[in-house]
Amino acid sequence: MTKFGKLPHKDLLSIAQLSGDDVQQIFATAAELKAKRAELNDLLAGKKLAMIFEKDSLRTRFTFDIGMQDMGGHAVFLDHRDARIGSREAVRDVARNLERWVDCVVARTFKHRAVVELAENCSIPVINGLTDYLHPCQALSDFFTLTEKWGDVKGKRLTYIGDGNNTCHSLIYAAAKLGTNITVCTPEGYEPNAKVINQAMIAGQESGSELRIMNEPKEACEGTNAVYTDVWASMGQEDEVEERAGLFREYQVDEELMALTDNGLFMHCLPAHRGHEVTSGVMDGENSIVFDIAENRLHVQKAIMLLLMNGEGS
Ligand code: CP
Ligand code: NVA
């Protein structure tokens, strides 16, 4: 095992399962892997990653694949966009096959239950590469990038504007673990999941993080340190695109909203729809850190893979 150690979990399915210390361990590892990218090139020599994706991807697919190559390992991609996992054979049987061939699995699925079932039925680590419910690797990369920008994220405020979706849920969990205050502002009826809110409230009491849920964008952006948005209709909600475009119009992150912040950073998980949830001016503005976040997906996911696979097997 390398000096990087190991996370005390088999899988990474949700930030809810991590402690604040686990998150800091991921961040410290990511920082070192980033600083010594060329040098630390054999940490996962000979290891194999299976990538099973039911949905499109640019960033997640590339960064997991390149991340394995960077550390001397290899990734195999299974395009599952034509059929859900479990349609040809039971998810638990897929899991039992995969564990015989590879050392780790990253899965992007519609149903969150599918990644949980994969994880429960194999002995190797399973990483959530996005489900309808959560996007943990994204939120960890978002907060890692904020630590690079701010030093400490504790006591700062992040405002999320838009749909209370998978990305939003994982940001709420990450903020609660790290002591960051978070304001979530959605149209009525599109608020985040109640279970996520309740769990984050409890975790937030320990870390000192405040969670506010509201429907008024200007109030939500007043004096905040960063504004985050995501697409109004996520993958799988294509038939709601038009309806949501009308309902979410007032929630576009534009120059006027950004002017209310405390020189706030602009964040987006990408892909972005310019002219919808964000204006091009904000997306390309000097406070936009969207491509820094995309860059850090690589380093943070390398850290996650290393800390899950470190010392496992041969
Ligand atoms: N942000 C993100 O997960 O991007 P992809 O959907 O392109 O992987
Ligand atoms: N909420 C978006 C995130 C894409 C990375 C979706 O699920 O489509």
Side-chain angles (χ1 to χ4, degrees), residues 55 108 130-131 135 138 165-167 230-231 233-235 269-271:
K55 301 181 181 183
R108 168 168 285 199
L130 177 148
T131 64
H135 197 1
Q138 178 67 51
N165 62 15
N166 43 11
T167 303
D230 186 10
V231 293
S234 286
M235 291 180 280
C269 55
L270 306 180

Side-chain angles (χ1 to χ4, degrees), residues 15-16 133 157 168-184 191-214:
I15 295 171
Y133 186 46
R157 178 167 297 279
C168 174
H169 292 157
S170 289
L171 286 170
I172 291 173
Y173 280 134
K177 299 288 172 168
L178 293 167
T180 309
N181 300 316
I182 183 162
T183 301
V184 175
E191 288 87 358
N193 181 287
K195 182 178 155 195
V196 174
I197 296 174
N198 291 336
Q199 287 181 336
M201 293 271 193
I202 294 166
Q205 279 167 6
E206 202 181 308
S207 71
S209 150
E210 183 200 42
L211 167 60
R212 299 190 304 167
I213 310 285
M214 59 173 73

Side-chain angles (χ1 to χ4, degrees), residues 56-61 108 135 138 235 269-271 297:
D56 290 342
S57 173
L58 173 71
R59 281 149 290 274
T60 310
R61 178 176 177 174
R108 168 168 285 199
H135 197 1
Q138 178 67 51
M235 291 180 280
C269 55
L270 306 180
R297 293 290 303 277

Side-chain angles (χ1 to χ4, degrees), residues 26-32 34 139-149 153 178 296 299-300:
I26 293 170
F27 288 0
T29 305
E32 188 152 358
K34 183 174 180 176
L140 289 168
S141 306
D142 295 325
F143 273 87
F144 175 71
T145 309
L146 288 177
T147 61
E148 286 185 330
K149 304 289 174 193
V153 296
L178 293 167
N296 283 333
H299 308 296
V300 169

Side-chain angles (χ1 to χ4, degrees), residues 12 25 64 73 82 100 112 145 151 172 203 253 298-299 301 305:
L12 200 150
Q25 188 185 5
F64 270 104
D82 289 336
R100 302 292 176 113
H112 186 70
T145 309
I172 291 173
V253 178
L298 174 69
H299 308 296
Q301 289 160 192
M305 291 192 286

